[in-house]
Amino acid sequence: MIEDCADALQAHPLDARTLCDLQRHSFDYFIHEFNANNGLVRDKTAPDSPASIAAVGMALTCYAVGIERGFMTRDNGVARTLATLRFFADSEQSDAANATGFKGFYYHFLEMEGGRRANRCELSSIDTALLIAGALAAAEYFDRADSREEEIGRLARLLAERVDWTWMLGRSTTICHGWTPEGGFLSYRWQGYSEALVMVLLALGSTTHPIPSTCYAAWCASYEWRTLYDVDYLHAGPLFIHQMSHIWCDLRAIRDRFMRDHDCDYFENSRRATLIQQRYAIENPKRFPHYGARYWGITASGGPGPCRKTVDGIRRQFFGYVARGVPDGPDDGTTSPWAVATSLPFAPEIVAPTISHFASLPIAAAHPYGFRASFNRAFDDEAEHGTGWVSPYHYGINVGPTVLMIENYRSGLIWGLMRKCSALTAGLRAAGFSGGWLAEPSGRAGVRA
């Protein structure tokens, strides 16, 4: 079990109020950026932003945290969860261009009011998986002998069973990124280590449309084991890749074949990736003046570009949205405080002081949902101007991991819930995971902090 929050905060220099406020303010995103009629959650705080189904999956998971922490009542959590699940269960599933989904999958972005496909986006395999993970987490949490909570369980199972994972395989052994009614399957497939581990596990563990276990070997075939700063690890550049699946999957001390062969596990691997992020900032190969031991966190994010600008005599390229990563880049000095906070379970000894440092900067002032998504102090070449560029928006898929991984650090709540999820545990076993808690009876982790 992750150590109790109070004990941890004695060991690591992070004020308890700072951590609790960050979790509460991040949770408030799901309170306010929400449509009560259909349960949809806005992708970001920009005007006229559509809903993101991944953000909805985060919200469905976060409600358990909100109830346990006293941020909302159980009755409110039940009502919100039912509104959401009823909408997805009843919304149009067809190959029409303006449907909500097809073959059990849902479009990446939906109109906030009507819930129809937005912006000609793709039917998304990974975002559907995050939605389903949230629905299954809700089903495990709302488990009382009550008609509304029993309905949550039925609807969550309906949504999970409806996803036709074998269809999204097509003629391949790896899952496609998505599909559109205009062009069919996208050309990209999920290969190599990425945020989609939880998706592959849910596909393997499906009771209705499971993919063959051989697909897991195909998923792992292009893994890249690297050594950086004398640390051996399964490489992925953006920090969020080392976090996303861990929101729902307790990967401590359980191993698949790849990790057994490398005498590691995915939790330890994420710890190593987090330490490498800090080490990269200390080494600072691109000579950003603000990088250091308490200033790091490079991941997929928005940025101040695209443009070129001379800063302190150095001609630099700045990017807009891009999958920034370590050590190969791209890196333009843009960092994401939420990605640091989400690493808290892996390496609290370096995350805690970094959160404290970020909390002291102007980026944390007067922002209703915690830290802004990203910022870049190098973009302003006038040091006295202070903050440089700061993202104007908050995003549901940034604040969600912040809430949930802080909770996993504090109590292990979501990990405990998902240990009981049969679809996820079946997927882990089909992928060849063994040891640790998989060899023991599952049980719910209560809140202790």
Side-chain angles (χ1 to χ4, degrees):
M1 175 65 65
I2 294 294
E3 60 189 333
D4 183 85
C5 179
D7 295 338
L9 295 182
Q10 292 177 4
H12 308 300
L14 176 62
D15 177 72
R17 175 67 64 182
T18 298
L19 185 65
C20 295
D21 284 351
L22 176 58
Q23 187 180 37
R24 173 59 189 267
H25 294 158
S26 299
F27 178 83
D28 282 348
Y29 183 97
F30 300 108
I31 296 297
H32 301 295
E33 307 301 326
F34 170 82
N35 184 340
N37 294 322
N38 55 24
L40 294 180
V41 175
R42 201 175 303 279
D43 174 53
K44 59 184 177 181
T45 51
D48 301 320
S49 171
S52 156
I53 62 169
V56 174
M58 300 288 181
L60 289 170
T61 315
C62 281
Y63 296 148
V65 177
I67 293 165
E68 295 292 331
R69 292 292 170 187
F71 303 159
M72 69 189 315
T73 66
R74 191 176 185 96
D75 187 67
N76 189 0
V78 168
R80 284 168 169 261
T81 301
L82 277 176
T84 306
L85 298 182
R86 286 169 178 169
F87 165 75
F88 281 99
D90 296 339
S91 59
E92 181 180 351
Q93 283 273 314
S94 77
D95 60 0
N98 65 345
T100 300
F102 182 47
K103 296 285 189 178
F105 293 89
Y106 293 92
Y107 286 101
H108 191 165
F109 299 111
L110 302 174
E111 297 172 354
M112 275 295 291
E113 295 305 317
R116 297 285 186 171
R117 177 194 187 196
N119 305 328
R120 291 173 62 89
C121 66
E122 82 286 4
L123 204 69
S124 174
S125 55
I126 179 58
D127 294 284
T128 296
L130 301 184
L131 171 65
I132 297 302
L136 292 172
E140 294 298 341
Y141 181 75
F142 294 110
D143 62 352
R144 293 181 178 175
D146 169 270
S147 61
R148 295 194 305 160
E149 297 201 14
E150 289 170 354
E151 184 182 357
I152 287 173
R154 288 195 302 272
L155 292 174
R157 288 190 294 274
L158 182 153
L159 296 180
E161 292 169 0
R162 196 160 65 182
V163 182
D164 191 344
W165 295 108
T166 55
W167 174 75
M168 194 61 81
L169 279 177
R171 297 177 181 273
S172 177
T173 55
T174 54
I175 296 173
C176 184
H177 279 213
W179 176 92
T180 68
E182 295 82 12
F185 289 108
L186 305 185
S187 58
Y188 302 103
R189 292 192 165 271
W190 291 105
Q191 295 173 292
Y193 188 51
S194 74
E195 70 275 19
L197 175 58
V198 65
M199 177 195 72
V200 177
L201 294 174
L202 289 175
L204 286 165
S206 169
T207 59
T208 50
H209 305 285
I211 62 175
S213 58
T214 51
C215 293
Y216 191 74
W219 152 263
C220 296
S222 52
Y223 273 10
E224 183 183 7
W225 188 260
R226 292 178 64 172
T227 301
L228 188 63
Y229 305 124
D230 298 322
V231 177
D232 299 328
Y233 77 125
L234 174 56
H235 171 70
L239 189 53
F240 87 99
I241 287 176
H242 298 282
Q243 304 164 341
M244 190 64 68
S245 294
H246 292 262
I247 292 171
W248 295 277
C249 303
D250 183 359
L251 296 168
R252 295 171 296 176
I254 63 173
R255 300 178 176 186
D256 60 5
R257 179 177 179 179
F258 182 90
M259 284 299 175
R260 285 192 293 271
D261 288 347
H262 290 87
D263 193 24
C264 191
D265 63 55
Y266 287 95
F267 185 91
E268 169 61 23
N269 193 75
S270 292
R271 173 176 171 79
R272 296 179 189 183
T274 306
L275 297 173
I276 285 170
Q277 281 259 341
Q278 186 200 46
R279 180 66 180 275
Y280 174 88
I282 293 170
E283 296 291 330
N284 197 7
K286 293 186 178 292
R287 295 186 294 157
F288 289 111
H290 49 289
Y291 277 10
R294 297 193 302 160
Y295 196 118
W296 50 275
I298 300 172
T299 193
S301 70
C307 66
R308 292 185 179 273
K309 189 174 183 179
T310 300
V311 181
D312 296 329
I314 301 175
R315 189 69 173 169
R316 295 196 181 276
Q317 172 74 56
F318 293 95
F319 305 99
Y321 183 87
V322 70
R324 294 167 173 82
V326 167
D328 304 321
D331 175 20
D332 61 356
T334 300
T335 49
S336 299
W338 71 269
V340 175
T342 304
S343 295
L344 191 60
F346 306 122
E349 74 278 11
I350 67 169
V351 171
T354 304
I355 293 175
S356 294
H357 177 63
F358 285 155
S360 72
L361 300 177
I363 60 164
H367 294 154
Y369 304 134
F371 295 128
R372 289 292 175 97
S374 53
F375 69 108
N376 191 325
R377 302 191 82 183
F379 190 70
D380 191 344
D381 59 355
E382 300 286 342
E384 62 270 24
H385 287 178
T387 61
W389 176 85
V390 180
S391 171
Y393 307 123
H394 295 275
Y395 292 78
I397 61 170
N398 294 351
V399 296
T402 302
V403 172
L404 295 167
M405 288 300 271
I406 287 176
E407 192 57 43
N408 276 332
Y409 171 72
R410 297 178 74 178
S411 72
L413 174 65
I414 307 305
W415 289 335
L417 291 173
M418 296 306 285
R419 284 184 181 189
K420 299 189 298 177
C421 176
S422 58
L424 187 57
T425 55
L428 285 165
R429 290 191 170 93
F433 281 83
S434 62
W437 63 266
L438 272 176
E440 304 169 358
S442 62
R444 176 175 171 177
V447 173
R448 301 184 293 115

